[in-house]
Amino acid sequence: MPNPLFSRYSQGENRVTASILAVFERISFALVERILQILSQDTNLPLLEIKNQVKSGKGSVLDGAIQASFVYLIETKVVQNALRQDQLNRHLDYLVNLPHVKNRKLLVLTPDLEEPDVIQQLKSDSVIWASFNDLYAAIADITATDESWLTSNFSPPSEQEQFLLRELVQMLLAEGLVNSGQSDTVLIVPARSAIKDYQSFSVYVCQPNRSFQPVEYIGFYHSGVIDKHIAKVIGKPVEEIDLTQEAVQEADIAPEIKQKLHHLVEQLKSRNSPRYGAKFKVFSLSPLNSSDTIKLAQDIKNDLKNEAGRPYAFTQSQRYVPLSALKKNPMTTTELLKGSGA
């Protein structure tokens, strides 16, 4: 029998952990696998292998095989700086002594803004630390409804799975675990076309009513780099608007945003863009050369690779990093993630 969807444990750690596991129990294994891959920063690590024509040890060939040999232990804390090394060492001892397990990890979820020192002191490849911000971003990534799913190797989650994951995110928000105490969070978005919108009109346009954490800044990932211009969000985003001159003129929005959108709509119409007349969510951003726009020393090159040595995108949908880590002017995304504790 499945666990109750949202636990009634009185202790926060048990309540949050049980709720996460209850949702994982009700969604497909493929989605759980993808969440764990994103949190472990290895998007090609298979937890379940399905193979055709498998050779047995005695020379015969099996028609197929389904194999799984992994254990992910989960340790959750709901307050910052609460991890204890003795407790983590006991978890690791248990993990190491599990027989016949090929892939074994200890996943530590906390609301800390940077990787806790106790994790670094363990110096173990079997330990994965992730913040609840990272979990939020992983869920946002796999439930994204923009055009990225057209070229994705993964099937989109069902309506029921999206509902369950949304409810889990709402629970994390209600518990104060997402973006807790972090005022310098930067939203990084994939920006093959969005970077041109920003450079020309100082806006970020995406699908209507798309959910994001509250952020003060937006950065753009395009052409294999995070652009060095980190734009400040001006006011609240327009959640849904038709990109036509009439709709923009009638919208109850600030004059400066209205002016930006008029220019954008004019260009879309002149180019016969399929975005003309469609509904979108719009962020107004500080212009490229504004003093409110943070200018890093250089673009940040994405050098992330999986265990097989194949590169993968820094973000497919959206990702959050601390502004303090960006201000260290890392040369690569690996340096950026180390600087943010991810």
Side-chain angles (χ1 to χ4, degrees):
M1 178 180 295
N3 294 314
L5 183 55
F6 291 110
S7 169
R8 296 186 179 182
Y9 283 116
S10 59
Q11 185 176 352
E13 294 171 8
N14 294 338
R15 181 171 62 251
V16 171
T17 305
S19 298
I20 293 171
L21 294 179
V23 170
F24 282 6
E25 191 175 11
R26 287 168 169 82
I27 63 177
S28 72
F29 183 86
L31 288 181
V32 176
E33 181 179 61
R34 287 177 62 196
I35 291 173
L36 294 176
Q37 287 172 342
I38 293 171
L39 293 180
S40 63
Q41 298 181 31
D42 187 352
T43 56
N44 287 286
L45 176 65
L47 303 184
L48 185 69
E49 296 182 86
I50 301 176
K51 299 179 179 179
N52 290 313
Q53 299 295 298
V54 179
K55 292 183 179 180
S56 71
K58 297 183 179 180
S60 62
V61 177
L62 301 168
D63 290 330
I66 300 174
Q67 300 175 179
S69 179
F70 71 95
V71 171
Y72 271 63
L73 303 181
I74 299 177
E75 175 61 34
T76 301
K77 298 297 181 186
V78 295
V79 296
Q80 297 183 19
N81 302 313
L83 289 174
R84 301 197 325 269
Q85 191 168 41
D86 60 329
Q87 184 183 43
L88 296 179
N89 282 330
R90 287 196 296 271
H91 295 334
L92 279 176
D93 288 343
Y94 172 79
L95 194 66
V96 169
N97 291 315
L98 288 175
H100 313 301
V101 177
K102 179 181 178 181
N103 178 17
R104 60 188 82 196
K105 300 290 183 182
L106 171 60
L107 173 59
V108 182
L109 281 170
T110 77
D112 294 285
L113 306 184
E114 297 185 355
E115 184 177 80
D117 291 341
V118 65
I119 298 291
Q120 299 179 22
Q121 292 166 5
L122 288 173
K123 297 180 180 179
S124 173
D125 293 336
S126 297
V127 180
I128 302 168
W129 172 79
S131 69
F132 286 102
N133 286 340
D134 296 325
L135 177 58
Y136 175 101
I139 293 173
D141 193 56
I142 67 172
T143 56
T145 56
D146 61 13
E147 69 275 8
S148 63
W149 72 270
L150 291 171
T151 56
S152 172
N153 294 325
F154 304 106
S155 299
S158 67
E159 288 187 10
Q160 181 183 11
E161 290 170 329
Q162 290 184 50
F163 170 79
L164 290 170
L165 290 167
R166 181 182 183 278
E167 290 299 300
L168 175 57
V169 166
Q170 292 299 316
M171 185 272 293
L172 296 176
L173 288 168
E175 295 279 345
L177 297 172
V178 174
N179 210 21
S180 56
Q182 189 166 358
S183 61
D184 72 336
T185 300
V186 177
L187 166 66
I188 306 294
V189 295
R192 183 176 58 183
S193 60
I195 188 62
K196 297 178 183 177
D197 290 340
Y198 170 61
Q199 291 170 343
S200 300
F201 307 107
S202 305
V203 295
Y204 170 58
V205 177
C206 60
Q207 63 265 38
N209 299 301
R210 181 173 169 183
S211 295
F212 297 102
Q213 294 182 36
V215 293
E216 294 184 16
Y217 293 92
I218 291 180
F220 298 92
Y221 173 71
H222 65 98
S223 305
V225 301
I226 298 173
D227 196 272
K228 66 180 181 180
H229 296 91
I230 308 299
K232 186 172 184 178
V233 177
I234 309 299
K236 292 184 178 180
V238 180
E239 290 294 335
E240 183 175 324
I241 189 170
D242 292 322
L243 291 185
T244 65
Q245 295 288 12
E246 295 78 11
V248 171
Q249 185 60 38
E250 296 173 1
D252 183 18
I253 55 179
E256 60 270 21
I257 301 178
K258 186 171 292 190
Q259 184 179 19
K260 291 178 180 181
L261 289 181
H262 274 308
H263 291 319
L264 172 62
V265 169
E266 183 179 342
Q267 186 180 96
L268 294 178
K269 185 177 181 180
S270 67
R271 296 197 323 238
N272 292 318
S273 170
R275 293 196 295 165
Y276 176 72
K279 294 182 183 295
F280 287 96
K281 179 172 183 171
V282 180
F283 286 82
S284 177
L285 304 174
S286 58
L288 199 68
N289 294 320
S290 167
S291 59
D292 288 330
T293 298
I294 296 170
K295 302 169 186 67
L296 307 179
Q298 67 278 316
D299 296 338
I300 302 173
K301 182 180 179 181
N302 179 42
D303 63 343
L304 298 181
K305 295 181 180 180
N306 61 26
E307 289 186 349
R310 291 191 292 269
Y312 61 91
F314 183 74
T315 178
Q316 296 284 354
S317 174
Q318 61 202 55
R319 190 163 185 167
Y320 301 89
V321 297
L323 180 58
S324 56
L326 289 168
K327 285 185 173 180
K328 295 176 182 177
N329 287 306
M331 298 286 291
T332 66
T333 50
T334 297
E335 292 180 26
L336 171 64
L337 295 177
K338 287 181 179 178
S340 67

